[in-house]
Amino acid sequence: MKIKKLFTIAATSALISSASAAVTWFGPSNTPNSNANWPAINGTYTQNFGVAFKTGPSGPYAMDWATIILSTSSVTTGSASFTLELRNTTNATAYSAVAGTTSYATDVISFTMPTTTNTNFILSLTAADIPNISSYEMAADTAYSLILYAPSHNIGMGRTTGYTNGTTNNNYTVNSGFSALDTFRNNAPNYANTANSYPSLAISFGENTVPEPTSIVLTMLASGVMLLRRKR
């Protein structure tokens, strides 16, 4: 095999492997240990599960993906839907912010799920699955809410219970300067499932980053130099 061909293959491989990487802006630090049903089937936006968050300092930000863990609960239909919506917040205060009256982007999510009861499943959404939300650019240093509502069936929302009051925000993993503000159900702040348990929700979202062209070129060159040395 010629050196030129070796370098081309190495460069192409480096370019493909460096094409993109998923960055989680916001997501629970621990896996769900329970689930809860929505306040209403086919309800309004205030009959919701949701999280409030603040973006980082280097906007704008466009959401490329979202991952949500749900449960079939008592449903065995195999298919369902709900509304996923990006809204403003009533304020930017921790454990107080909930979904506001302004809707920025809305997508109706239809999906197939297991047909067995009380079964957890992961819903992985790409930009193609959330076209309206993914095309909306969030501003820097701004509070937003991401809510789920109007489920077609009485499915369950994944959550991690057992956190004490005032610690839920610490149990989300955030990146790119994002911060957690609040977790809510039925648009009531500081969601608690019992008097001593303030859960996090199994909602994650973020972006797919593409390396700078200079980084890709340097990777390609390094791969080529290594192959040249081996050939010699």
Side-chain angles (χ1 to χ4, degrees):
M1 182 181 288
K2 295 182 179 179
I3 298 297
K4 183 177 179 181
K5 190 172 183 180
L6 276 169
F7 179 79
T8 301
I9 293 174
T12 302
S13 298
L15 183 60
I16 292 173
S17 63
S18 303
S20 64
V23 175
T24 301
W25 291 334
F26 182 103
S29 304
N30 301 298
T31 55
N33 57 17
S34 66
N35 69 86
N37 297 113
W38 265 260
I41 296 174
N42 296 319
T44 65
Y45 88 88
T46 58
Q47 295 169 311
N48 58 28
F49 278 108
V51 293
F53 60 94
K54 189 175 182 181
T55 54
S58 304
Y61 300 91
M63 192 183 301
D64 291 324
W65 60 268
T67 300
I68 301 165
I69 300 178
L70 303 170
S71 171
T72 58
S73 191
S74 60
V75 179
T76 58
T77 61
S79 62
S81 65
F82 63 82
T83 299
L84 185 67
E85 192 164 58
L86 186 68
R87 283 183 169 258
N88 70 329
T89 58
T90 52
N91 57 63
T93 304
Y95 303 108
S96 175
V98 295
T101 57
T102 302
S103 173
Y104 298 124
T106 305
D107 288 297
V108 176
I109 311 299
S110 298
F111 54 93
T112 301
M113 60 183 180
T115 56
T116 52
T117 61
N118 298 314
T119 303
N120 290 347
F121 62 98
I122 300 173
L123 195 60
S124 298
L125 306 174
T126 67
D129 300 312
I130 50 173
N132 297 316
I133 291 175
S134 64
S135 62
Y136 180 82
E137 291 190 337
M138 295 182 287
D141 293 316
T142 304
Y144 293 92
S145 63
L146 186 67
I147 63 173
L148 296 80
Y149 68 98
S152 59
H153 298 285
N154 195 28
I155 57 176
M157 176 73 232
R159 65 184 182 184
T160 306
T161 58
Y163 302 130
T164 58
N165 191 12
T167 67
T168 305
N169 289 345
N170 301 332
N171 289 284
Y172 287 107
T173 298
V174 291
N175 289 292
S176 303
F178 278 56
S179 58
L181 291 178
D182 197 18
T183 303
F184 50 91
R185 180 181 185 269
N186 221 21
N187 223 41
N190 201 20
Y191 170 46
N193 67 303
T194 68
N196 300 306
S197 177
Y198 293 77
S200 62
L201 298 180
I203 301 172
S204 305
F205 54 87
E207 66 176 335
N208 296 323
T209 61
V210 178
E212 295 292 330
T214 302
S215 300
I216 297 176
V217 171
L218 289 175
T219 302
M220 292 165 63
L221 289 174
S223 299
V225 169
M226 290 178 65
L227 284 171
L228 284 171
R229 287 176 178 173
R230 290 174 183 171
K231 184 68 176 178
R232 287 174 181 172

